[in-house]
Structure formats: structure tokens, C-alpha cells
Amino acid sequence: MISSYFKYAFRNLLKQRGRTLINIFGLSFSIAIVIVIFLYVSGELSYNNFHSNADRIYRMYCSVKTAEGEVNYSSYQPAEFADVLQESVPGVVATTRLKSTQVFIGLEEELFQEIVGFVDSTFFQMFSYEFLAGDRQTPLHQRKSVVLSESVARKIFKDSVDHLENIIGRTVIFPERPPFNLYTVTAIIADPPDNTSFRWSVLIPYINARVYPRSNDFGGDTYTYVMLDENNNMQRLADASPDLVEEIHGEGLRQAIEAGFIKADEHNFTFHFMPFRDFYLNSDFLWGSYETRGNKKSLYILSSIAALILLIACFNYIMISIGTAMNRVRDFGLMNVVGARRWQVFFQFVVESFVLTLISLFLGIILAEQLLPLFNKLSGDTLNFTLYSSSLNILFLFIILIFIVLSTSSYVGFYLLRRADPLHYLRREMLSVRRSGVARISVVLQFFIAIALLISGGVILKQLNYLLNYDVGIAKENTVVIHVDFELQKIQTLKERFLESPHVRSVTMSDRNFNSGSSSFGIQNPQGERISIRLLRADSDYLETLGLELIAGRDFIRDEPDDTIPNVIVNETLVRELEIEDPVGERVSLGSDGS
């Protein structure tokens, strides 16, 4: 009995090849896009889930209410905060600190730039990583110990060792003063999964962080992670936080209130605790980050686009099927005459939709795998085709199949079978498509969605063109930025070596990149409003190298001993904010110390 439905379905699909090919093409392409978006969204949602204790780990952050009533959020805490939490809050099993920075490490003959994480010895007690070689219990207990990821270990030592175990005990050079620059490899871990928010590839004990660049943020320069016991009672942390504020920041807060930076309020400074799994997608409001952060809004947008594409494909299938089904009403009439019931006629639509959708699903999976490299190129991601890796993905494909089959066959069957009897079928006394209110709504909705997507696409393209072509006042073309952490004299030597090349026009150095990082403080304008000043420390070749236009005054003078602080170069915005008519030679107070 069932086989006859499939035979008739295949016969009808082959008979109406044009309609079949159009529907298969539309559905398979739509399914492919939906699969790619699903892989991306599910990948973003899976960040940090591989840690076995992730449900019990929390990240500390604080909120500060400024004198103007604004609330700023920061993840940075003082280094001593971790020990205070461990000692004073019941239920805290372990704490660990984290800082990270880019440094050059390697052997004498070759150095590589890697992101180094500074953590406590409890780090591997809290977070789950696979050890491939070395000490699995106490890899960071010695001050000059280093844990390498597999890729970094193979990059540094290359073919000099046959097995990873032979690397254990070897030394790696760090940018510190000899002989303190030699770190002993104590363990090698597998490269972390792609869905981790940590950015480091090398780990060393936190105590070594003091000789590397650090933030001067009010809250500190360190991330603090807390792991609770099996009871996972986060309320204890919340209850203890007011006392911790006074213990950690009490004197500093009072000074900030007196200086007019922070509002004199009972809740002007508060500690908060965010589940570690939530941090990747729910921390865009936080200032600064040692971790990679995602964009939750983009997931909503992409998911909405996937749903619209799938709905449009289903609408097209329905409209085409209704148009061609009108030519088959005599067949349905004969089926009724020979005894077929309405549900049997309806089931025929379900079988035809199932066969066509199943074919489209297989083609969509193949097409999605081919589209993934293009998606990675456009998004700058490294998404892998993991559709068969979990039962959840298979369930997603099954849901797509059922949704398309039911949404397409139900309306076509209902449209042809409502208030119909065999004589109506044989006489073709059916309602026309033009009289169907749902059909009209479907067409209008498709046009509306298409127009909305076209307008949105146009706006996005215009914004991208603006971002790419707007003159930001910096010579970006042919400008290369190199991050170095050498001593000043070595950087000066490097600068001179670069200038020896006939292909190098100019070289400058600064304490940070011109479009990332921040060293800032607040000052008051004549209206009493506090504005934020971003500070860069640069040499006398900075303006020339980056093509910055000097409107008034002069540049810094090379090798001039007195041409340091308090001489500064400011931009037009600061002059307008401070309402200075003749800025050259004007003395302004920058910073809370009145300098």
C-alpha cells in the first residue's frame, strides 16, 4: 500500500520535471544556507562548553557609577582579590588569575610572537585541557615553568625532537633580562578547541606578569575566576561582595569620590559574578578583555535571516504546487470515485512533498559543505563542517525535513480538499488560486520580505563602503605595524635597521597601536562635564609616518631633551571640547594629579 504512494509520487515528479527542478533548486539552496547559519550559530553557542567544571566557574567584574551618573563595567580586578575570595567566601573551591600579552619567545636562533597567559597553579584544576606530555599535576608550580600548546611546541622545536616527551625539560627564551629569561617546559597540552574564548597559546605562572606591560585601570589589571563547590551556591558570593568592596577598594573609592570621579552613593561600586559559559556572548558591555568575545545580536540577525529564507522557499513550493495541482483534479476525482478517502488523497501530497524535500535535503547538505569556505572567507571565521558530529545536528536536519513537508503539503492538500466531493473534482469546480486569501497573503509577504532584504542589503553595503573608503586621517596604505616588547634601546636599533632599506620611507614607534588599546583619563570641560582623553606616547616621527596633518604649532623635536612631558600634541576635538581659542602654548591640566 505504502509503495503505491511512492510510485505515484515519483511518477508525478518525473512527469512535471520543470516544477520538480524549480522546487528542488529553491529548497536545496535555502537548506544549504540554513545549514551554514546553523553551524555558525551552534558553534558560537558552544563556546567554553568543553570544560567539565564550566557550570561552577564564574568571572568577576565590577560596576562603577561615575559622578555624571553613568555606570561603567570592568572585568579588571586587583591581583590580591583572588586570595581574598578564597579565604573569606565559603564554598569557593579554587580561584585563579589571568593576564595575557603578546611576546616573542623561542630559541636563540629564532623567535615567534605568541600570546602568553599568566595564570595561577590552580588553573588546570578549574579548566579542562588534554595533556600530551609532561607534568599533569603541578605543571605551573615552579616560577620559571612554561606550558606550551602542541602547535607552539612543534613550531619552536620543529624536527629537533622525535616525540613530545623529549621536549619536557628543554628551555624557551622569554623577553626578560638574562638569566631570568629561560623558562623550562614542564608540560605540553593539546591545542584548545576552536570554541574557546581564551586567546593564549602559552602559559606561565602569574607571578612573572609583573615585568610585562600592564593596565592601570582603576579596578586593577587582572581577571579573577572562581570555582564553587558541588552545591554551586552563587548567592554566597553575592552576599559577601559588599564587604569585599570595602576590603579591596575602600580607600581608593574614598579618594575617587573626593576627586569628583565617582558618585558619592551607597552603590557606587559593586562586584558581580558572571557564569563563565555566558561570558563569550553576554559581555559586550564590559570594558577591556583578555578573552575573545562574540556578538549575540549577530546570532539573532542570522537566525532570523535563515528562518525567512526557509519560509520563502516553502511559500514558493506551495504556490507552484497549487498551480500545477489544478491540472490533477481529475486524478483526485477518480481516486475518490474508486473509494479513496480524503486523508488518503492528502497523504499522497505528504509523500510527494517528503520525496522532493528529502532529495533537496541531501543536495542542500552537499551544497552547504561547498559554501562553507566562502562563508569563512566572508566572516573571517574558521568554521568546520561538523554536521555529522552530534545527534543535535541530525535532529536539526530532521526538524527541517518535517517542517518543510508539513508546511508545504498541509496547505496544498487543504486547498484542494476543502468542501470538495468527487463530482467537484471531475467537473473541475475548484476555487481558483486568485480567490485564495492565503495565496494572496503569501505572495504579498514574499514581496515584502524580498524588498526588506534588498533595502537592508543596500544599507549594509553602503555602511561597508563607508567603513572601507572613509578618510580617517591616517595613512593606512603601505603602513605596517609590528608589535615588539624589547627595551627602548633595542627598539631604536630596530628602527635604524629598517631605515637602512631603500623601500622604507619612515619609521615611528609608540607605546600602543593607533587603533587599539587604550591609556586614558578624564578631565572636565568648561561646562563641568567629564570627558575621556586617550593618551599615546610617540616619538618625533609619528605624525610624518602616519600622515597626520599638523594644523598649528610644531612637531616634537628629535633628540631635544626638554621636548617631552609637559609638551603635548592634541587633536581638534579636544580643542573644541575645552573651548580653547589659541591652543598653541596653552597650559592645561591633564590627569588627577594636576600635571
Side-chain angles (χ1 to χ4, degrees):
M1 178 66 180
I2 297 294
S3 60
S4 62
Y5 285 105
F6 282 92
K7 288 179 182 179
Y8 183 81
F10 279 112
R11 188 185 307 124
N12 183 59
L13 293 175
L14 291 174
K15 182 179 179 181
Q16 302 185 48
R17 298 182 188 87
R19 188 263 296 186
T20 301
L21 290 175
I22 292 174
N23 281 332
I24 287 178
F25 175 78
L27 284 176
S28 59
F29 189 76
S30 301
I31 290 172
I33 295 177
V34 170
I35 289 175
V36 170
I37 293 177
F38 169 76
L39 290 176
Y40 176 78
V41 172
S42 59
E44 293 289 286
L45 293 175
S46 70
Y47 262 70
N48 300 319
N49 286 345
F50 64 92
H51 297 289
S52 58
N53 297 319
D55 290 333
R56 296 190 286 135
I57 298 175
Y58 298 86
R59 258 273 310 276
M60 304 290 302
Y61 71 96
C62 63
S63 59
V64 183
K65 188 179 294 186
T66 66
E68 291 76 25
E70 298 180 358
V71 180
N72 297 327
Y73 298 89
S74 174
S75 295
Y76 298 125
Q77 306 298 331
E80 65 271 15
F81 191 35
D83 291 336
V84 173
L85 277 172
Q86 180 84 60
E87 296 169 359
S88 59
V89 181
V92 174
V93 174
T95 61
T96 189
R97 297 167 292 182
L98 169 70
K99 288 179 59 177
S100 65
T101 188
Q102 288 184 325
V103 301
F104 282 92
I105 66 171
L107 306 178
E108 283 284 358
E109 56 272 15
E110 191 173 14
L111 299 177
F112 302 94
Q113 190 178 52
E114 300 293 338
I115 299 180
V116 173
F118 307 91
V119 297
D120 291 314
S121 58
T122 54
F123 182 82
F124 291 111
Q125 177 185 347
M126 297 174 61
F127 298 100
S128 307
Y129 290 94
E130 179 186 359
F131 280 79
L132 303 178
D135 185 356
R136 290 163 170 77
Q137 303 301 322
T138 58
L140 294 172
H141 278 55
Q142 299 299 320
R143 176 166 182 165
K144 291 299 177 179
S145 57
V146 56
V147 175
L148 304 177
S149 62
E150 181 183 8
S151 59
V152 172
R154 296 189 183 280
K155 185 195 301 183
I156 293 175
F157 294 97
K158 295 184 171 61
D159 300 327
S160 62
V161 291
D162 298 328
H163 303 287
L164 292 177
E165 285 288 352
N166 296 334
I167 298 177
I168 305 303
R170 299 279 296 271
T171 57
V172 178
I173 296 176
F174 276 68
E176 300 176 24
R177 292 183 180 276
F180 308 108
N181 61 337
L182 297 179
Y183 283 70
T184 302
V185 179
T186 56
I188 297 174
I189 60 174
D191 290 337
D194 293 334
N195 59 343
T196 177
S197 59
F198 288 130
R199 292 184 288 186
W200 49 261
S201 54
V202 176
L203 288 177
I204 63 176
Y206 180 87
I207 193 173
N208 299 287
R210 64 183 61 179
V211 298
Y212 290 88
R214 57 186 179 273
S215 169
N216 59 355
D217 187 82
F218 172 81
D221 62 356
T222 302
Y223 275 11
T224 303
Y225 301 86
V226 182
M227 186 171 75
L228 302 182
D229 57 21
E230 297 293 339
N231 295 325
N232 200 14
N233 187 356
M234 196 184 71
Q235 188 59 41
R236 291 177 178 175
L237 288 173
D239 293 340
S241 61
D243 295 333
L244 296 177
V245 171
E246 175 60 30
E247 182 175 354
I248 300 296
H249 292 293
E251 183 60 32
L253 286 173
R254 283 185 283 273
Q255 293 178 2
I257 292 173
E258 292 176 2
F261 297 137
I262 296 180
K263 192 177 184 66
D265 190 298
E266 182 181 356
H267 303 290
N268 54 11
F269 191 99
T270 307
F271 284 127
H272 306 275
F273 308 89
M274 179 180 292
F276 180 61
R277 281 182 174 172
D278 295 346
F279 181 78
Y280 179 71
L281 289 175
N282 296 290
S283 61
D284 54 337
F285 61 92
L286 290 171
W287 166 255
S289 180
Y290 290 133
E291 298 182 22
T292 301
R293 293 189 284 192
N295 189 337
K296 198 171 186 178
K297 293 180 181 178
S298 67
L299 301 189
Y300 290 137
I301 294 173
L302 287 173
S303 300
S304 301
I305 291 174
L308 287 175
I309 290 174
L310 198 59
L311 287 174
I312 290 175
C314 292
F315 285 151
N316 286 334
Y317 180 98
I318 291 172
M319 300 308 297
I320 294 173
S321 297
I322 289 177
T324 56
M326 294 300 295
N327 300 322
R328 300 169 57 196
V329 291
R330 288 185 182 275
D331 295 340
F332 303 142
L334 290 173
M335 292 172 66
N336 274 259
V337 168
V338 297
R341 299 184 179 182
R342 286 191 178 185
W343 71 265
Q344 292 174 311
V345 177
F346 173 72
F347 189 67
Q348 185 62 55
F349 284 104
V350 175
V351 171
E352 287 187 22
S353 179
F354 175 79
V355 171
L356 192 143
T357 304
L358 190 62
I359 295 172
S360 302
L361 184 62
F362 282 117
L363 293 176
I365 293 173
I366 296 172
L367 185 58
E369 193 167 2
Q370 304 306 313
L371 288 175
L372 199 59
L374 176 61
F375 178 84
N376 286 336
K377 186 176 181 180
L378 293 175
S379 64
D381 210 329
T382 56
L383 197 64
N384 296 318
F385 194 77
T386 57
L387 194 61
Y388 317 115
S389 62
S390 74
S391 56
L392 179 63
N393 295 353
I394 304 301
L395 177 63
F396 174 74
L397 295 178
F398 180 74
I399 291 175
I400 288 181
L401 177 65
I402 297 301
F403 173 78
I404 295 176
V405 170
L406 294 181
S407 62
T408 54
S409 61
S410 297
Y411 178 67
V412 176
F414 171 76
Y415 176 80
L416 290 175
L417 297 177
R418 61 176 181 177
R419 296 192 304 274
D421 57 44
L423 290 178
H424 288 155
Y425 279 128
L426 294 175
R427 293 174 182 173
R428 297 191 177 209
E429 295 178 2
M430 298 294 296
L431 295 173
S432 67
V433 176
R434 288 176 294 180
R435 292 177 58 190
S436 171
V438 177
R440 288 197 300 270
I441 293 174
S442 300
V443 173
V444 172
L445 186 59
Q446 287 183 75
F447 276 109
F448 173 78
I449 294 174
I451 292 171
L453 289 176
L454 284 173
I455 294 174
S456 301
V459 172
I460 292 172
L461 288 175
K462 190 174 180 180
Q463 289 294 100
L464 288 174
N465 182 66
Y466 177 82
L467 289 173
L468 292 173
N469 299 319
Y470 180 74
D471 182 12
V472 295
I474 295 176
K476 295 186 293 183
E477 296 296 328
N478 301 324
T479 300
V480 177
V481 181
I482 302 176
H483 175 85
V484 295
D485 47 17
F486 310 141
E487 296 176 358
L488 184 60
Q489 185 56 48
K490 288 186 177 181
I491 297 176
Q492 185 62 43
T493 302
L494 180 66
K495 178 179 177 179
E496 293 170 359
R497 291 289 183 89
F498 280 138
L499 289 172
E500 292 175 1
S501 170
H503 305 292
V504 176
R505 190 185 68 184
S506 178
V507 181
T508 187
M509 52 186 176
S510 174
D511 67 331
R512 63 196 66 244
N513 201 343
F514 47 79
N515 64 353
S516 65
S518 178
S519 179
S520 60
F521 51 85
I523 64 172
Q524 286 186 342
N525 61 15
Q527 283 75 38
E529 300 171 337
R530 182 162 294 277
I531 58 176
S532 179
I533 305 296
R534 182 169 183 256
L535 178 70
L536 293 94
R537 301 165 183 87
D539 65 6
S540 56
D541 297 310
Y542 194 78
L543 300 188
E544 177 188 357
T545 303
L546 294 183
L548 297 173
E549 181 185 359
L550 191 64
I551 297 176
R554 63 168 177 83
D555 200 348
F556 295 134
I557 300 175
R558 184 182 287 106
D559 301 326
E560 177 60 46
D562 295 331
D563 207 16
T564 58
I565 294 177
N567 290 341
V568 295
I569 297 173
V570 300
N571 64 9
E572 291 180 281
T573 303
L574 181 60
V575 173
R576 287 196 300 267
E577 286 285 346
L578 298 182
E579 300 180 3
I580 303 174
E581 296 183 2
D582 186 14
V584 178
E586 180 79 14
R587 297 182 65 86
V588 294
S589 175
L590 301 179
S592 58
D593 59 353
S595 58

